[in-house]
Amino acid sequence: MTKILIIYTGGTIGMVNDPHSGTLIPFDFGQIQQNVPELARLNYDLEVHSFDPILDSSNMDASVWVEIAGIIKKNYDTFDGFVILHGSDTMAYTASALSFMLENLSKPVVLTGSQLPIGEIRTDAKENLITALEIAATKKNGAARVPEVCIYFDFQLFRGNRSIKYDSDKFEAFQSPNYPLLAEAGVNLTFFNNYIQKPSKAEFLVNEKLNTNIGVLKLYPGISKAAVEAITTSSLDAIVLETFGSGNTSTAPWFLNCLQEAADQGKIIVDISQCQAGSVELGKYETSRKLQQMGILSGYDMTFEATITKLMFLLGKDLDKAELRILMERSLRGELTRTL
């Protein structure tokens, strides 16, 4: 029988109405079959690992990602796949982080959640959970159909490190602006094999060391020198520079000097676009040529979530700066598109 481990971290999906108080409270996921009787028809061997206490996804941090990765590491040989139930607000961060931490995956790790609690009449929780389990269990010729970290939400399966949450009200809460869907659930569950990572034959490894000493500098017209210097002169190891369009910034001498001084101090600076779709092209315009000349790295079409977590992962490996810079601009888990 196919064995799936459900890791319940928290989030709306695990909530039910308390008939006495009328408030939302978490239900015991150890009794999941009673709350979702449809699961019995899947004929899977399900086990549940619940966090205690459960977490609001706004409280997710690197230590929790390490804990999740450790649970998968401990149970990797026992289970065919893993489904992580997670609050939707930071789900894309967790999916991105796990994609880098879980190296040489050959089994599915599917994150899902819901916009409405599982006890609500119009909930999206049951469909998301049931289909996520089906995806985690599906094999072809004995191999997992989706051997990577992914997000399933509202009939669509996304690569985890290509996903963003774009809507807090719709059931269709996630998008993947720069990468196609991995699968779609309609009358049939359709997998788009050309876009799915191939399973690794190398030894499964878990990278549990992350460095979170990263700052973010989001540009806007009229940004002050004090605001820029607050980031560039701080004791950070890396800076994510959120620029305009295809990677463009102000060419004001004071601004470029701030970036140059940060780069000279050894800070890793990665340029990503504030646009959700499209890619950074350093040097395409004069306004980004200076960045290229001072050694600022291109984030290409990475999401903000993937950029942050990839930096945490690479900085945690204690690489020399030259190697880190090369790897930052290289696709490690399908997180970026680089056209040579």
Side-chain angles (χ1 to χ4, degrees):
M1 186 180 289
T2 301
K3 296 190 68 174
I4 305 295
L5 180 62
I6 299 171
I7 302 172
Y8 174 47
T9 67
T12 301
I13 191 170
M15 298 293 177
V16 292
N17 251 312
D18 183 345
H20 302 293
S21 66
T23 60
L24 293 173
I25 58 171
F27 77 80
D28 180 5
F29 253 88
Q31 306 298 318
I32 191 171
Q33 300 260 15
Q34 296 177 22
N35 288 277
V36 190
E38 296 91 337
L39 295 179
R41 298 174 61 186
L42 293 175
N43 198 32
Y44 301 154
D45 182 359
L46 300 178
E47 290 189 25
V48 179
H49 179 102
S50 288
F51 273 48
D52 185 17
I54 62 167
L55 296 171
D56 186 291
S57 72
S58 298
N59 289 321
M60 281 288 158
D61 60 24
S63 68
V64 182
W65 298 335
V66 170
E67 185 175 354
I68 295 170
I71 293 167
I72 293 172
K73 178 182 180 180
K74 180 180 177 181
N75 294 280
Y76 191 75
D77 293 332
T78 305
F79 291 88
D80 297 287
F82 303 86
V83 171
I84 301 172
L85 304 181
H86 194 291
S88 60
D89 286 348
T90 60
M91 188 182 293
Y93 289 93
T94 297
S96 295
L98 290 175
S99 76
F100 298 116
M101 297 171 74
L102 305 177
E103 193 168 350
N104 302 326
L105 262 181
S106 61
K107 298 182 179 183
V109 176
V110 187
L111 286 87
T112 194
S114 66
Q115 296 287 67
L116 287 175
I118 207 163
E120 296 289 324
I121 294 175
R122 294 180 51 252
T123 186
D124 55 332
K126 288 187 178 182
E127 194 284 323
N128 284 349
L129 172 58
I130 290 168
T131 306
L133 288 167
E134 284 192 281
I135 291 167
T138 301
K139 295 183 178 182
K140 184 176 182 180
N141 300 324
R145 290 296 297 266
V146 189
E148 59 175 287
V149 179
C150 46
I151 288 177
Y152 178 77
F153 226 90
D154 194 48
F155 307 106
Q156 297 179 313
L157 184 70
F158 308 96
R159 174 164 294 162
N161 57 34
R162 291 286 194 152
S163 305
I164 60 169
K165 184 177 181 183
Y166 86 104
D167 199 304
S168 61
D169 290 328
K170 293 180 180 179
F171 287 143
E172 186 186 349
F174 286 84
Q175 287 184 344
S176 178
N178 291 313
Y179 198 77
L181 295 178
L182 304 184
E184 195 164 22
V187 174
N188 298 304
L189 188 54
T190 304
F191 294 92
F192 304 119
N193 296 319
N194 290 342
Y195 303 122
I196 297 172
Q197 295 268 54
K198 303 299 181 218
S200 175
K201 295 181 180 179
E203 180 186 1
F204 175 64
L205 301 172
V206 177
N207 300 280
E208 297 176 283
K209 188 177 178 183
L210 300 172
N211 180 341
T212 61
N213 194 31
I214 300 166
V216 178
L217 179 56
K218 183 166 185 170
L219 301 187
Y220 53 88
I223 191 170
S224 69
K225 185 177 182 181
V228 174
E229 287 182 334
I231 299 295
T232 58
T233 63
S234 60
S235 57
L236 298 166
D237 294 319
I239 297 170
V240 176
L241 184 65
E242 289 193 85
T243 57
F244 308 122
S246 58
N248 304 310
T249 68
S250 166
T251 55
W254 69 263
F255 176 78
L256 295 177
N257 287 339
C258 286
L259 293 182
Q260 185 68 68
E261 288 172 9
D264 291 344
Q265 292 165 8
K267 292 181 174 68
I268 300 295
I269 306 176
V270 183
D271 183 345
I272 63 170
S273 177
Q274 294 179 19
C275 301
Q276 291 185 342
S279 182
V280 164
E281 297 181 62
L282 288 179
K284 182 177 181 180
Y285 297 98
E286 180 193 357
T287 46
S288 67
R289 189 175 299 118
K290 295 286 187 182
L291 305 184
Q292 191 177 40
Q293 291 170 351
M294 68 177 70
I296 289 177
L297 303 176
S298 174
Y300 295 95
D301 59 353
M302 279 193 293
T303 64
F304 176 77
E305 295 87 338
T307 307
I308 286 284
T309 54
K310 185 176 182 179
L311 277 170
M312 290 180 184
F313 162 68
L314 290 176
L315 289 168
K317 291 177 74 68
D318 295 325
L319 304 168
D320 65 61
K321 288 289 174 65
E323 185 177 3
L324 190 154
R325 291 174 62 85
I326 290 169
L327 292 177
M328 196 64 210
E329 292 190 324
R330 179 184 297 169
S331 178
L332 304 180
R333 309 283 191 270
E335 73 279 2
L336 64 81
T337 307
R338 182 175 179 179
T339 305
L340 298 176

